[in-house]
Amino acid sequence: MALLGTAGVLVAVATVAAVVAGLFVGGLVRSYDAGKDVLDDPFPTGARPAPTDGAENILLIGSDSRQSTTTGADRGRGGRSDTLMLAHVPADRKGVYLMSIMRDSWVEVPGHGTAKINAAYSWGGVPLTVQTVERLLDVRIDHVAEIDFAGFADMTDALGGVTVQSRTAFSTTGHTFAAGANHLDGAAALAFVRERHAFADADHTRVRNQQAFMRGIVDGLLSRDTVTNPARVQDFVRATSEYLSVDRGLTFGTMVDLGWSLRGMRPSDLRTFTMPTAGGGTSADGQSYVAVNTIAVQSLSQALRSDDVAGWLADEPQ
């Protein structure tokens, strides 16, 4: 998944694939299907929110456990989910909305009480993560894509590097980033999206950097240098799928259909934002957490269900 954040990635790839020669598409299919893993049962059982008519909600999970020996929907038990993003594709297909969910958000985790949202992945893998997000936002998750952070580096190198916009200058693990535009190779991109200790607001800047990286990926995918270079597209698909796990419904055909419906999309049509927060707090057992802005999230939930995220962002600018 590429255009949707790492769903952004796959959609943009599919957009390109939908308009190239049949043999090349066949090669992409083989690369995608051979590389990715299938999450056997990633969705929770029992009552779930109703689908949003015509729209798609794709949950993107960035983790460190993709290459572990754990397989299927149980992947993640005991591991970490360092990144959560919800990609909302509206019914009119006029853009894509990519929302970051702070990993320390203090929420209700079904069956476990109140905790940081990334604990759901550790306790119950992908299904509990999906259930937690569905309960939090009261919207149905249609598809799930999980990618290991190591894939970010290979995706970047497959595109010949990506350009990101950094709000601030900082250094980490041997890499130095300037305020403004930075062209990154794979190793630098991985450092850019993972660093949080260099910032006074920690994860707040971290998620903004992750959003900047996703915009850089989309810019690279939709650039003329990529669209006119079949080898680069195929390298990107191969690099992405090697670190990717998706639900059974997120087939290459599904991605082509979704990509074709978004064929008029430009990089500026990808809107990124963060689920509203309300400062920090400390739990009874001493955990520092990020408080959720309950009122704003309730209005966001309504906007997602009514497929009017654009209207919500106009009232809740970030």
Side-chain angles (χ1 to χ4, degrees), residues 45-62:
T45 57
R48 299 178 62 199
T52 303
D53 188 28
E56 296 275 353
N57 293 307
I58 304 173
L59 186 64
L60 312 172
I61 303 172

Side-chain angles (χ1 to χ4, degrees), residues 178-191:
N182 296 261
H183 190 73
L184 310 181
D185 64 11
L190 188 56

Side-chain angles (χ1 to χ4, degrees), residues 48 79 82 132 134 138 163 205 306:
R48 299 178 62 199
D82 276 354
T132 301
E134 287 189 339
D138 193 25
T163 299
T205 294
S306 62

Side-chain angles (χ1 to χ4, degrees), residues 57-252:
N57 293 307
I58 304 173
L59 186 64
L60 312 172
I61 303 172
S63 73
D64 285 321
S65 66
R66 169 67 171 80
Q67 298 297 310
S68 73
T69 56
T70 307
T71 58
D74 284 341
R75 180 182 286 113
R77 291 183 186 274
R80 295 184 302 162
S81 169
D82 276 354
T83 299
L84 275 180
M85 290 182 170
L86 180 72
H88 178 78
V89 185
D92 64 13
R93 301 300 195 258
K94 291 184 177 179
V96 173
Y97 299 91
L98 186 63
M99 181 182 75
S100 297
I101 301 174
M102 302 281 288
R103 68 176 190 170
D104 290 343
S105 297
W106 198 245
V107 303
E108 186 71 23
V109 179
H112 296 271
T114 308
K116 295 179 181 180
I117 196 167
N118 68 340
Y121 186 82
S122 178
W123 288 332
V126 176
L128 185 59
T129 302
V130 172
Q131 187 177 30
T132 301
V133 173
E134 287 189 339
R135 294 277 185 90
L136 173 64
L137 298 174
D138 193 25
V139 294
R140 190 181 188 91
I141 302 301
D142 300 294
H143 294 293
V144 183
E146 179 186 358
I147 190 166
D148 189 271
F149 271 116
F152 284 32
D154 285 358
M155 289 157 48
T156 300
D157 287 336
L159 289 176
V162 299
T163 299
V164 300
Q165 296 289 333
S166 178
R167 292 193 180 186
T168 184
F170 67 98
S171 297
T172 178
T173 60
H175 298 279
T176 299
F177 304 97
N182 296 261
H183 190 73
L184 310 181
D185 64 11
L190 188 56
F192 183 77
V193 301
R194 301 202 70 167
E195 179 57 35
R196 66 189 182 102
H197 298 294
F199 314 120
D201 61 359
D203 269 349
H204 292 274
T205 294
R206 183 174 184 260
V207 299
R208 286 195 292 268
N209 286 348
Q210 291 170 351
Q211 293 165 3
F213 171 74
M214 292 306 171
R215 290 193 294 270
I217 286 286
V218 172
D219 287 345
L221 279 167
L222 299 183
S223 71
R224 181 178 298 276
D225 288 344
T226 300
V227 171
T228 59
N229 188 337
R232 177 169 288 181
V233 175
Q234 187 141 2
D235 286 347
F236 181 82
V237 173
R238 185 181 298 108
T240 303
S241 58
E242 181 179 351
Y243 295 92
L244 185 69
S245 299
V246 299
D247 66 89
R248 290 189 180 279
L250 202 56
T251 64
F252 189 86

